Amino acid sequence: MKTYVAYVRIQPQGWVVQTQVVADNSQAAYFLLQGQYGANNVVHLPTEV
C-alpha cells in the first residue's frame, strides 16, 4: 500500500483542499477519491508521496 496526495473540492463551500489516501496504485486512489468526494470534485490527480 502506498500513500497518495491529491487536491479535491469540498462542497458546498467550493474550497479546494489537499488530502491523502492509501491505495495500491494511483488509479485505485483516484477511484477512492471519486467515491468520497464525487466524480467532479477531484481537482488534481493523485501523486505518490
Side-chain angles (χ1 to χ4, degrees), residues 6-10 15-19 37:
Y7 288 93
V8 294
R9 186 175 294 109
I10 303 296
W15 298 339
V16 176
V17 297
Q18 184 180 20
T19 188
Y37 297 100

Side-chain angles (χ1 to χ4, degrees), residues 5 7 12 16 18-20 23 25-26 35 37 39 44 47:
V5 173
Y7 288 93
V16 176
Q18 184 180 20
T19 188
Q20 292 185 352
N25 54 47
S26 62
Y37 297 100
H44 188 270
T47 55

Side-chain angles (χ1 to χ4, degrees), residues 7-11 30-43:
Y7 288 93
V8 294
R9 186 175 294 109
I10 303 296
Q11 296 296 340
Y30 181 69
F31 290 147
L32 284 170
L33 291 167
Q34 280 186 330
Q36 288 177 342
Y37 297 100
N40 296 328
N41 292 324
V42 180
V43 176

